[in-house]
Amino acid sequence: MLAASARLDPRRPAAIFAGGAAGALARAGLAHAFPAGPSAWPWTTFAVNAAGCFLLAALVVRLQERLPPSTYRRTFLGTGLCGALTTFSTVQVEAIRMARAGAGGLAAAYLAASVIAGLAAVVAATALVRRAWTLR
């Protein structure tokens, strides 16, 4: 028999679904409003991914280290919203599209810059949230 903590709580997938819907709609709306050409730098995806990494890191530090445990806040905001908002799989598709359009160097730079920007956003958000907490 499963322990009570191992049973699936139907509110958890509902929180992920709701957050994911909000994140995906935001990302898709921005991509539609600001499309990139096949050999152009996809600024919308780049900015959304960096912002999503920043937001996810800030949320994780805040929710994990500073607030009482809450399964639904983490699943809604982290897994759902930020998981659907960020789209590193699209980075790969865009890099392939750029390379096929003859912009292989730009594609390589885009891949590297996306990873570096994401990591920098995580480091910055973590430091800022921890710093803000110590100032109180």
Side-chain angles (χ1 to χ4, degrees):
M1 180 155 196
L2 290 175
S5 63
R7 291 188 199 134
L8 179 61
D9 179 354
R11 293 173 292 184
R12 184 178 286 171
I16 294 169
F17 176 81
L25 287 171
R27 177 179 42 83
L30 288 167
H32 182 70
F34 305 103
S39 61
W41 189 279
W43 285 107
T44 303
T45 303
F46 183 79
V48 165
N49 282 341
C53 287
F54 185 93
L55 179 62
L56 181 58
L59 289 169
V60 166
V61 172
R62 179 85 173 133
L63 293 174
Q64 190 70 24
E65 296 179 6
R66 304 293 175 215
L67 295 176
S70 168
T71 301
Y72 308 115
R73 278 189 293 221
R74 283 188 292 187
T75 55
F76 174 79
L77 294 169
T79 307
L81 181 75
C82 291
L85 180 65
T86 58
T87 175
F88 280 92
S89 59
T90 301
V91 170
Q92 296 171 17
V93 171
E94 290 169 338
I96 291 168
R97 187 185 70 223
M98 284 188 266
R100 287 182 178 162
L106 184 64
Y110 176 59
L111 288 171
S114 293
V115 172
I116 292 167
L119 290 172
V122 168
V123 170
T126 301
L128 284 172
V129 171
R130 288 180 176 157
R131 173 106 171 110
W133 187 257
T134 60
L135 293 176
R136 290 183 177 190

